[in-house]
Amino acid sequence: MSRPIPPLSAAASACPPTLPPPTTASEDAFVAVAPFDEADRAAVYRAIATRRDVRSEFLPDPIEPVVLARLLAAAHAAPSVGFMQPWTFLVIRDPTRRAALHDAFRLAHAREAAQFTGERGERYRALKLDGLREAPVHVVVTADRHRCGPVVLGRTQDPTTDLLSCACAIQNLWLAARAEGIGLGWVSIVDRPALRAALDIPETIEVVALLALGRVDRLRTSPELEQRGWRTRLALADVVFEDAWGNTGAGPEAIVARL
Amino acid sequence: MSRPIPPLSAAASACPPTLPPPTTASEDAFVAVAPFDEADRAAVYRAIATRRDVRSEFLPDPIEPVVLARLLAAAHAAPSVGFMQPWTFLVIRDPTRRAALHDAFRLAHAREAAQFTGERGERYRALKLDGLREAPVHVVVTADRHRCGPVVLGRTQDPTTDLLSCACAIQNLWLAARAEGIGLGWVSIVDRPALRAALDIPETIEVVALLALGRVDRLRTSPELEQRGWRTRLALADVVFEDAWGNTGAGPEAIVARL
């Protein structure tokens, strides 16, 4: 079920110091909200629908620091279990570090390619699975799973929830990037020890994701793995049940029919 | 490092059948894109910045099926490792199932409360940590980790990536909900076996998250755990490094100073 949290070694971790309790017990503060107007709602749905995992479409233009800062702030605004904010974002532009990250991709890519044979193997080798050389900026997302000490509110039931928080941060960053005209590719094929060595990441810190970012002026209309025939998009009705597992009765079909 | 994928039992899983390879090898299709205009970009950032983990603000109004369908479609538009789309969404409105989910929360809550003692324990018991009774709709997100067979493109390097894909789907749903004026609370304190039993979820399927959804007309201006003094928001500059771990030189500070 669970992904265990590795023990913290005696070596110093990069945890921030324990925060002092605030002097006031409660400062509840609310703001009135309403549904976004139609144009704003459409903008949110447009970011969600047109976001792509970019491999080949990166332009060489640099990303302005102010834009990069907005993307990082969007990521940092993500929800996190027990408000632990476990993430750290490494922004990599140094050519030597970049080359080392590309080596970490190639190492894992050769290993994975060997697992697909025959027609599937040919199809695999025809795919472009990273854009690390083309993208001007790399972002590595890590999790400090010890950041709040051993007992984290909400994480006691599932140790993986802190990693899920990091994925929410990545999705925030991805959607903000889409709105900024910046493409993002999540390079999941990467040798973790090589990546760790390339960026001096301590053993106490977990590597969550390697992202490639760069400006784009075109995107695929649907995922590359769909266009290249690797897999088909599932129907929404096939991934929704009502009230219990396996219940595809009138409920979800009625919902989906209204789409 | 990794969260292992449990073995698939001999019992039938709910995997869709293996999809046939398409007849055409490649159908690359692109569309020209540009940065969103300022209003649309602001809408995306507004959803990201004002999204909250809702506990106490749910209104009893039902969620219209067409809106619920849009939220589920937004979730289904998330990225997934190897395009495996591992998620299933269970939409729960049946009173008996809802009560069983609330029991699953209470069971875990009592267990977790015992882990916080003294002043921390008092603070913990003063927190409202679920809104299951108030929210008219519950959504449980699960992962079918066997959906694409044992070898999934990109997952070979980190078995947890399929769960991270599910978290991206949840964040999509959360931001879409914010734009629709719907609050969402991720209830991470829940007894997994009790939840599984409540919804007849097979052992081969992993429970990722229990979400409570309902219309809201107010939201907190910052996270409840921050307002109630449980933890403080970290500074963005403290969670950004440049080029390598620990490098807080001019780079990230220059970025952040421009915020």
Side-chain angles (χ1 to χ4, degrees), chain B residues 1-89:
Chain B
M1 269 298 289
S2 64
R3 177 166 177 163
I5 298 160
L8 185 59
S9 75
S13 94
C15 298
T18 302
L19 299 158
T23 48
T24 52
S26 173
E27 294 175 10
D28 291 326
F30 296 90
V31 62
V33 298
F36 286 11
D37 67 28
E38 195 170 325
D40 283 1
R41 219 166 54 217
V44 172
Y45 280 119
R46 181 154 70 103
I48 289 170
T50 64
R51 176 210 53 76
R52 288 287 165 268
D53 201 340
V54 175
R55 303 282 180 246
S56 307
E57 291 78 47
F58 293 117
L59 302 172
D61 318 35
I63 302 177
E64 308 88 314
V66 64
V67 175
L68 202 45
R70 285 201 295 263
L71 300 186
L72 295 168
H76 189 42
S80 62
V81 64
F83 197 43
M84 90 181 266
Q85 309 158 75
W87 43 68
T88 297
F89 307 98

